[in-house]
Amino acid sequence: MFQSSTKVDAPQTKDTNRMARVEKGNRMTVFKFASIVAIAGWISAAYASDMVIASVAPLSGPLAFNGVQNLEGSRACIDEANAAGGVHGHKLRLVAVDDQYKAQETVRLVRLVAERNKPIAFLNLIGSENVSALLRERTLVNVRIPVVGVSPGADILRKPGSPWIFHVQASDGAQLKRIVSHLATIGLTRIAVAYQDSPFGQDGLKTVESFAAEINVAVTGRIPIAQGLEDLKQVAGQLRRTEAQAYVMIVAPDTGTLFVRDVLSSGDTTPICGMSYISVQGAIEKAGLSAATGLALAQVTPNVQSSNTALVRRFQAAMGKYSEVRAPGQHHLMGYVSCQVVLEGLRNSGPAPKPERFLSAMRRTKIDIGGYLSHPVRSYGRL
């Protein structure tokens, strides 16, 4: 295929033999070089056809528990999809970076990953202050890449929110109203609220106060908890003095497990209700199994320990085959669900999806993931 342009007509002397060997070597070198270029081009084309999905989330720091579990669930989803041929014949590639639960790092890394990795979508943003920073600085508007899955589900992140964000789980308002309604139903009409002193907690407190007034439930105490506070014994004492019949905590996952530990270790047996972000296993590890009796948590996904739904059966199979996690939890499932919603959006985007085409597809996407109905079209704001 590759021929030398040099023709040797001289007799075969020692020098001409050496020239012939050099010529042959040059042909081999050209052949090897061309082969390497061809292979490199093939690899480049293969990677160019990958669909990149990116996750900017806390993989270290106070919310690493949530971030890592979301990522592990999403990774199992990606591996499962690739084993089935990808989407429209494209391989999926998940890029994950650690924002350490620092709002400005979230902003910086979303910009960096958008420029460097060119993802079609971002997945599983975590933290009210982090997402608020993205909204405040119009980061998503500028990078023009949609986000699927945001935690928490605070209304301040939804109204006005952003048309580039798609929420796939129940809002905080829905969870808190169900908690307060349940307490009223069983006759507990005096409640105290312990809330994170952050946009997430403050927004949740307003929701509880407003809804409690509608159903004649009295809020007898409002106790703010600073971000990063690890000793909550003083908070436990303040709550006890409210003489409430139940405590509602609106706190980050790490704060929630510490709250359960310090309230229960003080001998206070007042029922505690919390949101879906709190880890059952984490609370048990902090307070002990027997002491954790009386803790009630909202749930926005099917129980991962029960195989009654097709979603959980599929999730358990994927985690068993593509993950080393032996006891997957609710946060794993939420990461898996968010990823499944992304995949459906990609399928609806056509064979060569781009972020804006994906955005358009997501606006009309409705998906039933084994009994979990998701209509991630409830984004707000203007483009």
Side-chain angles (χ1 to χ4, degrees):
M1 177 178 179
F2 296 97
Q3 297 179 351
S4 172
S5 59
T6 304
K7 185 176 180 181
V8 182
D9 293 325
Q12 297 300 303
T13 64
K14 186 180 293 185
D15 288 339
T16 56
N17 286 336
R18 186 183 302 117
M19 290 176 62
R21 286 196 298 271
V22 170
E23 181 185 336
K24 181 179 179 182
N26 286 341
R27 289 201 300 268
M28 291 302 295
T29 300
V30 171
F31 177 78
K32 289 177 181 177
F33 175 75
S35 298
I36 291 169
V37 170
I39 292 170
W42 177 82
I43 292 173
S44 176
Y47 276 102
S49 68
D50 285 358
M51 292 184 180
V52 177
I53 300 169
S55 173
V56 176
L59 307 180
S60 63
L63 285 194
F65 181 87
N66 292 54
V68 170
Q69 289 201 358
N70 275 179
L71 179 61
E72 289 170 336
S74 294
R75 184 172 286 133
C77 169
I78 294 291
D79 290 346
E80 177 188 42
N82 281 335
V87 175
H88 294 304
H90 295 273
K91 178 183 176 183
L92 300 159
R93 183 156 54 95
L94 180 60
V95 174
V97 293
D98 180 14
D99 67 10
Q100 305 170 61
Y101 193 47
K102 297 177 181 178
Q104 286 309 307
E105 270 297 277
T106 306
V107 173
R108 183 185 74 83
L109 290 172
V110 165
R111 289 171 177 161
L112 174 66
V113 172
E115 176 64 26
R116 181 186 67 194
N117 300 102
K118 304 290 191 294
I120 294 175
F122 284 102
L123 185 64
N124 301 327
L125 290 176
I126 295 178
S128 61
E129 292 188 359
N130 307 64
V131 180
S132 292
L134 291 172
L135 296 176
R136 185 170 56 251
E137 299 192 25
R138 295 178 58 81
T139 307
L140 300 178
V141 174
N142 292 329
V143 301
R144 304 187 71 78
I145 298 173
V147 173
V148 177
V150 169
S151 178
D155 284 340
I156 56 168
L157 305 181
R158 300 181 177 222
K159 301 176 182 178
S162 168
W164 294 92
I165 293 179
F166 294 89
H167 302 271
V168 297
Q169 66 181 36
S171 70
D172 290 357
Q175 292 189 54
L176 290 168
K177 288 177 181 180
R178 183 61 61 90
I179 289 171
V180 175
S181 177
H182 174 71
L183 292 173
T185 299
I186 61 177
L188 303 181
T189 57
R190 296 196 318 277
I191 64 173
V193 180
Y195 65 97
Q196 204 84 55
D197 197 8
S198 69
F200 153 65
Q202 294 157 3
D203 188 60
L205 174 63
K206 291 178 183 177
T207 297
V208 170
E209 289 177 323
S210 175
F211 185 69
E214 293 178 15
I215 61 173
N216 297 318
V217 170
V219 180
T220 63
R222 302 160 181 80
I223 314 298
I225 302 176
Q227 294 268 49
L229 185 64
E230 295 188 0
D231 186 344
L232 301 183
K233 295 184 182 65
Q234 184 176 352
V235 171
Q238 291 175 296
L239 283 169
R240 200 161 193 171
R241 290 191 289 275
T242 66
E243 298 184 350
Q245 296 172 300
Y247 303 146
V248 176
M249 54 178 176
I250 310 172
V251 294
D254 57 327
T255 303
T257 56
L258 297 172
F259 177 89
V260 172
R261 178 198 67 189
D262 287 352
V263 169
L264 297 180
S265 65
S266 72
D268 191 344
T269 58
T270 304
I272 301 172
C273 295
M275 301 171 71
S276 60
Y277 314 118
I278 309 300
S279 163
V280 174
Q281 188 60 38
I284 292 173
E285 289 174 359
K286 294 289 186 184
L289 180 59
S290 59
T293 301
L295 172 64
L297 299 176
Q299 190 169 303
V300 296
T301 58
N303 185 351
V304 295
Q305 306 303 324
S306 170
S307 57
N308 289 339
T309 65
L311 167 61
V312 172
R313 290 193 295 273
R314 182 175 172 183
F315 163 72
Q316 290 172 339
M319 292 298 291
K321 187 171 183 179
Y322 302 106
S323 170
E324 295 181 359
V325 177
R326 297 281 71 90
Q330 299 298 132
H331 297 299
H332 289 107
L333 179 57
M334 202 65 246
Y336 181 85
V337 166
S338 295
C339 179
Q340 287 291 341
V341 172
V342 170
L343 296 185
E344 188 65 16
L346 290 174
R347 294 184 187 105
N348 293 337
S349 300
K354 300 294 182 183
E356 294 197 6
R357 191 175 296 175
F358 175 75
L359 174 73
S360 177
M362 285 296 296
R363 289 181 172 276
R364 61 178 185 274
T365 293
K366 296 181 180 180
I367 178 173
D368 179 349
I369 314 171
Y372 185 94
L373 302 177
S374 180
H375 303 268
V377 295
R378 299 172 64 84
S379 55
Y380 300 88
R382 295 181 178 179
L383 287 169

